[in-house]
């Protein structure tokens, strides 16, 4: 009897929590279809806000900036992070404590301190040399800095999971180091490379604070655009763009669910 | 430079080759992080010890002015504003972490009681909202809590808030936003702990007529402690430095340390003061990490917590 009430109580808490987790997102989606200019009262179904969205050049620019930033920073971080990951593996018997500290630094530093450090530094360098004008360039630098550790750790853990004798075999098989990299190294760590790239991409697309502090006047990303739109005053147009972003996340969730299923089969 | 004739042995040549390899692989990334993060943070720390210039930019001479300002000492004597902000950050961190724990325990446990094939999907359902951008999530709460919405009207009719004020901006909204933001980070490690739970211990406690509370306290809680500690690191430390949620949901009276710091680099510019706040935040972060590590080690579940 008591067990049953416990089970029911648990299920109740679960459903309330789920409601709590999805209610804010649901409200955004709902009011993006509101015909009235209100986020409190729903009048009629309409696609007016979406129509306005696609005519808004700023939003399209921001979307482009987000993509350029995420793709280019992820590619740079993938190359640099892979090298570190391999170096950490190959030389794991050496004392590399300083390297570990260096790699964990971007992860443990609070976002706001990270962003402000970069900003003050870039501004100061720009003052002295004229280089590093705030814009997409400085944002890419900042994003690569927080992506490198994740790539390095993913690649490193993939190498650790491999049979060490594989490396000997590859050495016997391919004489030149370049051939070894192309025909052995890259194919064996391909899953790690793919997941590292996607993680970097996601971290970059999702980032707000660090982008916000390193951005220039012309390089607003989608989250920065939404932020400044909210600061100017809440409109259902923000709901519409947020709905599209929520839709993208929902797609990703469905894909990962299917992927999970297949993986276990 | 002249070679003294010593022929390098094969072994030392191999050493040189290995070191060159290490440099070649590790140097680009190490340099990148050093130049674009270590140097900037060192510069920021230096700024904290400089004087505030006319445009809020740092100036010589070196001084401790910024730290005095942070403690509340201004031109007009001492004021408690900054201290309130600091205490509010600590309080919000504490309250939201406790609330997250209270919600996450039953949720994580519930997932382990479900059938195995459903568990990954249920976990995914908890995590998916946190994949949307944090600005959008905070915006969702602005929509829900604004004046005129059903929730706000309910709170008004119960007399919880003044008429037409709505539930946001307020400290309550910030707490809600923090709990919402960090819940998945507690559910995941707790779920991992519950999945490994030795149920024989719980059974034994029940057989010995332990009350549910005592059974939980003596048989369940110690086993989930590593997960709880890992979750606390993932929740409390980022919550303390939160910027977006208090800025959007808190208004002027809900400001936390992150906003105090950020404001010094935007509108009311005072770089040294902001840098001093950033140092405070760093100290708090490292004390938090260190304390959790110590507790984790003492309780023998350290591996999961060590960062």
């Amino acid at each position: 009897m008591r067990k049953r009430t416990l089970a029911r109580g648990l299920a109740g808490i679960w459903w309330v929590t789920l409601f709590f987790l999805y209610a804010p997102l649901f409200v955004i989606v709902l009011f993006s279809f509101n015909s009235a200019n209100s986020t409190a009262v729903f009048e009629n179904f309409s696609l007016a806000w979406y129509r306005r969205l696609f005519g808004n050049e700023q939003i399209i620019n921001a979307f482009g900036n987000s993509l350029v930033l995420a793709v280019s920073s992820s590619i740079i971080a993938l190359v640099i992070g892979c090298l570190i990951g391999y170096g950490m593996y190959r030389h794991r018997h050496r004392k590399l404590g300083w390297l570990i500290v260096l790699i964990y630094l971007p992860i443990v530093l609070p976002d706001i301190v990270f962003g402000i450090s970069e900003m003050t530094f870039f501004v100061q360098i720009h003052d002295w040399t004229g280089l590093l004008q705030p814009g997409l360039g400085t944002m890419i630098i900042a994003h690569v800095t927080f992506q490198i550790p994740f790539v390095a750790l993913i690649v490193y853990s993939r190498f650790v999971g491999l049979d060490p004798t594989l490396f000997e075999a590859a050495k016997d098989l391919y004489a030149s180091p370049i051939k070894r990299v192309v025909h052995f190294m890259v194919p064996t760590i391909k899953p790690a490379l793919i997941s590292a790239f996607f993680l970097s991409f996601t971290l970059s697309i999702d980032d707000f604070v660090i982008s916000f502090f390193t951005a220039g006047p012309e390089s607003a990303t989608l989250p920065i655009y939404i932020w400044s739109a909210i600061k100017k005053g809440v409109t259902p147009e923000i709901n519409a763009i947020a709905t599209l972003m929520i839709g993208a996340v929902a797609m990703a969730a469905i894909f990962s669910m299917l992927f999970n299923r297949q993986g276990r089969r | 430079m002249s070679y003294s004739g010593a022929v390098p042995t094969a072994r030392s040549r191999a050493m040189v080759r290995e070191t060159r390899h290490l440099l070649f692989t590790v140097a680009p990334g190490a340099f990148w992080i050093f130049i674009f993060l270590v140097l900037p943070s060192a510069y920021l720390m230096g700024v904290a010890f400089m004087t505030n210039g006319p445009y809020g930019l740092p100036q010589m001479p070196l001084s401790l002015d910024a730290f005095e300002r942070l403690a509340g000492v201004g031109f007009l004597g001492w004021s408690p504003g900054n201290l309130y902000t600091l205490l509010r950050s600590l309080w919000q961190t504490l309250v939201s972490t406790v609330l997250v724990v209270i919600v996450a325990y039953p949720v994580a446990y519930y997932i382990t009681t479900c059938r195995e094939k459903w568990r990954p999907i249920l976990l995914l359902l908890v995590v998916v909202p946190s994949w949307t951008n944090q600005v959008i999530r905070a915006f969702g709460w602005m929509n829900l809590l604004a004046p005129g919405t059903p929730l706000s009207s309910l709170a008004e009719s119960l007399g919880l808030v003044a008429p037409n004020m709505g539930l946001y901006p307020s400290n309550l909204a910030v707490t809600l936003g923090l709990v919402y933001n960090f819940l998945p980070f507690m559910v995941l490690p707790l779920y991992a702990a519950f999945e490994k739970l030795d149920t024989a211990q719980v059974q034994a406690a029940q057989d010995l007529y332990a009350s549910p509370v005592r059974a939980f306290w003596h048989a369940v809680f110690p086993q989930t402690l590593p997960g709880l500690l890992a979750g606390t690191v993932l929740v409390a430390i980022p919550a303390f430095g939160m910027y977006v949620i208090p800025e959007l949901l808190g208004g002027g009276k809900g400001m936390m340390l992150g906003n105090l710091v950020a404001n010094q680099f935007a509108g009311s510019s005072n770089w040294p003061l902001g840098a001093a706040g950033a140092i405070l935040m760093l100290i708090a972060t490292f004390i938090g990490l260190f304390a959790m590590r110590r507790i984790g080690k003492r309780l023998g579940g350290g591996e999961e917590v060590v960062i």
Side-chain angles (χ1 to χ4, degrees):
Chain A
M1 191 61 208
R2 198 196 238 164
K3 253 193 175 155
R4 228 195 198 160
T5 33
L6 180 69
R8 269 199 204 145
L10 278 175
I13 293 175
W14 163 259
W15 288 111
V16 171
T17 307
L18 219 56
F19 179 76
F20 170 71
L21 284 173
Y22 286 89
L25 303 180
F26 175 76
V27 169
I28 289 176
V29 175
L30 179 69
F31 282 98
S32 73
F33 297 111
N34 193 1
S35 60
N37 185 358
S38 160
T39 51
V41 186
F42 193 86
E43 262 179 19
N44 270 315
F45 178 86
S46 120
L47 289 172
W49 301 109
Y50 288 92
R51 241 172 270 134
R52 272 186 59 167
L53 199 70
F54 291 114
N56 187 333
E57 210 168 290
Q58 273 181 308
I59 289 182
I60 292 164
N61 275 342
F63 180 62
N65 283 338
S66 278
L67 278 186
V68 170
L69 173 63
V71 171
S72 48
S73 63
S74 301
I75 291 173
I76 299 173
L78 193 65
V79 174
I80 297 175
C82 264
L83 282 174
I84 290 204
Y86 179 58
M88 272 164 71
Y89 169 72
R90 169 85 173 264
H91 304 280
R92 63 193 176 285
H93 301 303
R94 294 190 174 199
K95 285 206 166 65
L96 290 176
W98 59 272
L99 185 64
I100 307 288
V101 169
L102 209 56
I103 282 183
Y104 274 107
L105 193 65
I107 301 180
V108 297
L109 221 54
D111 275 5
I112 193 100
V113 179
F114 192 121
I116 281 165
S117 298
E118 307 266 294
M119 182 210 110
T120 49
F121 182 72
F122 290 152
V123 167
Q124 202 56 263
I125 296 286
H126 183 63
D127 250 22
W128 288 338
T129 63
L131 299 171
L132 296 178
Q133 168 97 33
L136 267 181
T138 51
M139 290 167 98
I140 291 173
I141 290 176
H143 280 222
V144 170
T145 312
F146 70 70
Q147 289 164 337
I148 287 175
F150 292 96
V151 178
L153 292 172
I154 289 175
V155 169
Y156 170 75
S157 59
R158 171 76 190 172
F159 274 124
V160 168
L162 289 179
D163 183 352
T165 53
L166 275 175
F167 290 87
E168 296 301 318
K171 227 176 193 171
D172 294 340
L173 206 56
Y174 304 108
S176 93
I178 293 170
K179 273 194 173 165
R180 224 181 299 152
V181 168
V182 173
H183 294 294
F184 164 65
M185 223 84 101
V186 172
T188 23
I189 61 163
K190 205 167 138 202
L193 294 181
I194 293 172
S195 58
F197 181 84
F198 278 112
L199 182 64
S200 300
F201 185 88
T202 320
L203 286 171
S204 170
I205 282 275
D206 199 42
D207 174 69
F208 167 72
V209 173
I210 293 166
S211 307
F212 183 61
F213 283 103
T214 50
E218 301 287 312
S219 64
T221 57
L222 265 188
I224 296 176
Y225 175 82
I226 294 174
W227 171 271
S228 46
I230 293 173
K231 286 267 168 177
K232 266 183 238 152
V234 174
T235 71
E237 203 177 346
I238 307 173
N239 283 317
I241 175 113
T243 299
L244 293 181
M245 288 171 82
I246 292 169
V249 166
M251 297 250 277
I254 290 166
F255 271 123
S256 87
M257 221 183 280
L258 294 176
F259 205 67
N260 242 341
R261 281 251 172 100
Q262 257 178 3
R264 263 181 294 134
R265 240 178 236 162
Chain B
M1 218 170 104
S2 66
Y3 262 111
S4 56
V7 181
T9 61
R11 200 164 156 213
S12 77
R13 232 180 296 143
M15 278 278 280
V16 169
R17 211 184 313 127
E18 280 292 282
T19 304
R20 206 188 296 145
H21 181 272
L22 176 70
L23 279 179
F24 175 73
T25 52
V26 163
F31 259 121
W32 189 291
I33 295 176
F34 182 77
I35 291 176
F36 293 120
L37 194 61
V38 177
L39 279 186
S41 335
Y43 172 68
L44 187 70
M45 283 184 198
V47 166
F49 294 95
M50 288 159 88
T51 322
N52 190 25
Y55 301 105
L57 293 177
Q59 258 184 359
M60 284 303 179
L62 297 180
S63 75
L64 289 174
D65 282 359
F67 291 92
E68 283 172 14
R69 282 293 298 275
L70 190 64
V73 180
F75 301 115
L76 306 165
W78 185 78
S79 70
N82 289 348
L83 218 58
Y84 279 149
T85 304
L86 194 62
L87 288 177
R88 193 181 300 120
S89 308
L90 285 172
W91 176 245
Q92 288 282 21
T93 307
L94 184 74
V95 170
S96 55
T97 308
V98 169
L99 285 175
V100 163
V101 171
I102 291 173
V103 179
Y105 255 98
V107 167
Y109 179 64
Y110 175 76
I111 296 175
T112 45
T113 61
C114 291
R115 273 205 227 138
E116 210 164 322
K117 70 170 187 184
W118 287 108
R119 288 180 203 165
I121 295 171
L122 297 186
L123 275 178
L124 199 65
L125 279 175
V126 173
V127 176
V128 163
S130 70
W131 289 358
T132 40
N133 195 278
Q134 57 172 335
V135 177
I136 293 179
R137 274 175 286 150
F139 176 64
W141 279 107
M142 290 168 76
N143 277 344
L144 269 178
L145 302 176
T149 56
L151 267 179
S152 280
S153 313
L154 181 72
E156 275 168 29
S157 61
L158 290 175
L160 294 175
V161 290
N164 301 322
M165 286 299 286
L167 286 165
Y168 119 91
S170 70
N171 280 308
L172 178 72
V174 176
T175 314
L176 258 178
L178 289 175
V179 172
Y180 182 75
N181 203 54
F182 290 112
L183 186 64
F185 296 101
M186 187 62 86
V187 171
L188 286 180
L190 274 182
Y191 167 77
F194 270 118
E195 219 180 19
K196 285 186 288 187
L197 195 79
D198 175 13
T199 45
Q201 285 187 33
V202 187
Q203 196 62 50
Q206 281 171 347
D207 290 348
L208 294 167
Y209 299 106
S211 66
V213 175
R214 290 192 66 181
F216 174 81
W217 190 248
H218 292 288
V220 178
F221 182 71
Q223 294 193 61
T224 52
L225 202 57
L228 178 65
L229 286 177
T232 307
V233 169
L234 294 175
V235 173
I237 290 175
F240 185 70
M242 199 51 169
Y243 169 69
V244 170
I245 290 171
E247 185 79 18
L248 290 182
L249 295 173
K253 284 181 181 167
M255 211 162 96
M256 285 169 63
L257 184 57
N259 311 87
L260 177 74
V261 170
N263 288 350
Q264 306 315 319
F265 296 90
S268 60
S269 193
N270 182 342
W271 280 25
L273 175 58
I279 288 184
L280 194 64
M281 203 182 275
L282 275 183
I283 292 172
T285 303
F286 287 117
I287 288 179
L289 281 175
F290 184 72
M292 287 300 161
R293 224 179 134 152
R294 281 300 284 276
I295 298 172
K297 268 193 185 148
R298 177 165 303 170
L299 297 171
E303 269 80 273
E304 274 111 313
V305 192
V306 172
I307 296 193

